[in-house]
Amino acid sequence: MNYNDLWITVTTYWGDYGSEDNPPCIDFDHPTYLNGNETLGRTIQSLCELPGEYNLLVVLAVTHDEYRAEAKLRVEEILKRFLSQKNIYLVTPFEVDQINKLLENPLLKMDSYGNIRNVQLFVPYILGARYVIGIDDDEIIEDREYLIKAITEMDKNEKIGGMAGPYYDRAGDFTLQGAEELKQEKNLFLKKNYYMNEALKKVMNSKHSPVLSSVAFGGNMIFRRDTIVRVCHDPYIPRGEDYDYVINAMMEGISFYFHKEIGIIHLPPDSTGSQAGDNIRKLKADIRRFIYMFEKQRRKEKLYPEKDFDTEILNPYPGAFLDSALNLQVLGKEALRKKYPGLMDQEKIEKFIIN
């Protein structure tokens, strides 16, 4: 099958966690070290094995500007062996700089997950994409009918502004490991994975699919052209830009659906991936994220009441964090003290929450 106006986009993150003297411009969950083992080739190989013709875009982001050139050479070398199989394009910070010179407002950046995702949508859009599928470099697609399932649903129902599908681990499980143990946890931030699992089970056990939902994973999302032109990823979200995007779309009256039949295999590094145990950087990013989302939702309701939507669809996740009765600042302080005693003193915790 020919998918001339379909673009599959792969984000790939390179660099390291930096140091106190040279922190990264963004805390990626698990950047690929420049001289380390890479997973991008595995992802591209799985995509090249999908039947049909489509365009493939790789978006390269780096943790530090000084890694730009070396990372680009490394990724180009990886992609070289696949060029005879698919139309493959590469966009790096160098190309983003060039694109910005052509724009009246040079808005494109590579300094946050949200901004990187915006590049992931912008480039295919200006090249005429009808649909854009976003995945990440720690995933593979083994279902040979993935594309036809996804595109068929989008084609037959124009009400679907975008669609997401599940992640499976190598054992075939779609839930986050260890999340059930958190059921009795009192602190929302420390209980996050439990709420995520409950939301996942809700859509995966639904009798119908696709189903209207706020559940979304940035590494398995499909965007309609009309949605891309109306909604962007929020550049200020430190993580969770996928769920946030769906909420942004809902504010514009655009519906996102979850399709349990378009699953992919998610293979993050065991020690640091999103399926692994939490760490302080991720917890701090979640605290920033939900305080920000909470305030954004509150201001939206006040300033744009005409853009109201039924927030029940956000439950149990991320709706649990958007309850107007919550004091997320207090909960954030408690979570940091409880989870990582000794790593941050009270003064540092207070300063972080205020910021």
Side-chain angles (χ1 to χ4, degrees):
M1 186 173 288
N2 195 317
Y3 302 102
N4 280 333
D5 51 7
L6 168 66
W7 286 72
I8 298 182
T9 58
V10 181
T11 49
T12 185
Y13 309 96
W14 290 69
D16 54 44
Y17 298 108
S19 63
E20 190 171 339
D21 295 331
N22 187 24
C25 65
I26 174 174
D27 271 331
F28 296 134
D29 281 352
H30 44 84
T32 300
Y33 285 80
L34 297 177
N35 59 354
N37 295 326
E38 54 83 17
T39 58
L40 177 62
R42 179 183 66 188
T43 299
I44 301 300
Q45 180 65 54
S46 82
L47 297 178
C48 286
E49 292 172 0
L50 292 176
E53 296 298 323
Y54 60 86
N55 301 290
L56 178 55
L57 171 70
V58 176
V59 178
L60 165 62
V62 293
T63 59
H64 299 78
D65 280 346
E66 57 264 34
Y67 297 155
R68 285 179 168 201
E70 188 176 350
K72 182 175 182 178
L73 287 173
R74 183 86 193 276
V75 170
E76 285 176 337
E77 189 63 31
I78 293 167
L79 298 179
K80 193 177 296 183
R81 67 181 186 270
F82 302 108
L83 296 178
S84 63
Q85 301 178 55
K86 297 291 181 183
N87 295 324
I88 302 179
Y89 304 86
L90 173 64
V91 168
T92 76
F94 292 112
E95 285 72 39
V96 170
D97 288 345
Q98 294 301 310
I99 294 171
N100 274 329
K101 291 178 181 178
L102 302 174
L103 300 177
E104 183 176 342
N105 294 311
L107 296 174
L108 297 182
K109 297 180 181 179
M110 301 280 272
D111 60 354
S112 70
Y113 275 124
N115 272 330
I116 293 164
R117 299 284 190 201
N118 285 331
V119 172
Q120 186 182 22
L121 296 179
F122 177 87
V123 174
Y125 178 85
I126 61 173
L127 293 174
R130 184 181 179 204
Y131 299 121
V132 176
I133 297 177
I135 72 168
D136 292 331
D137 68 350
D138 58 356
E139 301 162 352
I140 58 175
I141 300 179
E142 293 186 339
D143 182 358
R144 295 293 167 260
E145 296 185 352
Y146 175 94
L147 291 180
I148 196 165
K149 290 176 183 176
I151 301 307
T152 297
E153 289 295 339
M154 298 287 283
D155 278 345
K156 73 180 183 182
N157 187 352
E158 291 190 357
K159 292 182 179 180
I160 300 179
M163 197 159 59
Y167 287 167
Y168 289 97
D169 62 22
R170 180 42 77 193
D173 193 352
F174 64 82
T175 59
L176 296 167
Q177 301 304 308
E180 294 304 312
E181 303 166 12
L182 302 172
K183 186 174 183 178
Q184 303 306 318
E185 172 60 53
K186 301 299 183 184
N187 189 285
L188 276 181
F189 290 107
L190 302 183
K191 195 175 180 177
K192 184 192 78 168
N193 283 3
Y194 174 79
Y195 286 117
M196 288 187 71
N197 267 8
E198 291 303 295
L200 274 168
K201 288 188 281 188
K202 180 179 176 180
V203 291
M204 293 297 284
N205 294 330
S206 173
K207 292 182 180 179
H208 306 287
S209 193
V211 60
L212 191 66
S213 174
S214 65
V215 175
F217 299 109
N220 191 10
M221 290 179 74
I222 306 169
F223 305 82
R224 190 184 293 276
R225 181 176 181 83
D226 290 349
T227 299
I228 294 171
V229 79
R230 292 176 60 192
V231 183
C232 71
H233 288 89
D234 191 325
Y236 302 107
I237 288 289
R239 57 185 288 109
E241 75 289 342
D242 37 20
Y243 280 84
D244 185 73
Y245 186 95
V246 172
I247 295 175
N248 294 341
M250 289 177 179
M251 291 180 188
E252 296 297 326
I254 298 171
S255 299
F256 255 78
Y257 285 69
F258 188 91
H259 191 356
K260 63 183 177 181
E261 300 299 328
I262 57 167
I264 65 172
I265 311 299
H266 188 208
L267 302 171
D270 292 337
S271 61
T272 58
S274 56
Q275 297 280 0
D278 207 352
N279 56 57
I280 192 167
R281 287 194 343 275
K282 291 174 67 176
L283 175 57
K284 288 170 70 176
D286 276 335
I287 293 170
R288 286 177 54 208
R289 159 197 179 187
F290 287 116
I291 288 175
Y292 177 78
M293 288 179 68
F294 182 98
E295 184 66 12
K296 183 165 67 170
Q297 182 70 14
R298 187 186 72 82
R299 293 193 185 195
K300 186 274 299 181
E301 291 172 353
K302 181 179 179 180
L303 297 174
Y304 304 102
E306 74 279 4
K307 293 188 176 183
D308 195 21
F309 64 93
D310 185 2
T311 55
E312 178 60 32
I313 197 173
L314 304 181
N315 292 324
Y317 181 83
F321 291 84
L322 302 176
D323 186 334
S324 60
L326 293 174
N327 188 325
L328 294 183
Q329 290 87 344
V330 170
L331 291 171
K333 295 174 189 177
E334 291 176 353
L336 287 167
R337 284 196 297 264
K338 181 176 180 179
K339 185 72 173 178
Y340 299 104
L343 288 184
M344 293 180 71
D345 60 29
Q346 185 61 31
E347 183 179 352
K348 287 183 177 179
I349 290 175
E350 290 284 347
K351 185 177 179 181
F352 167 73
I353 295 296
I354 289 170
N355 286 341

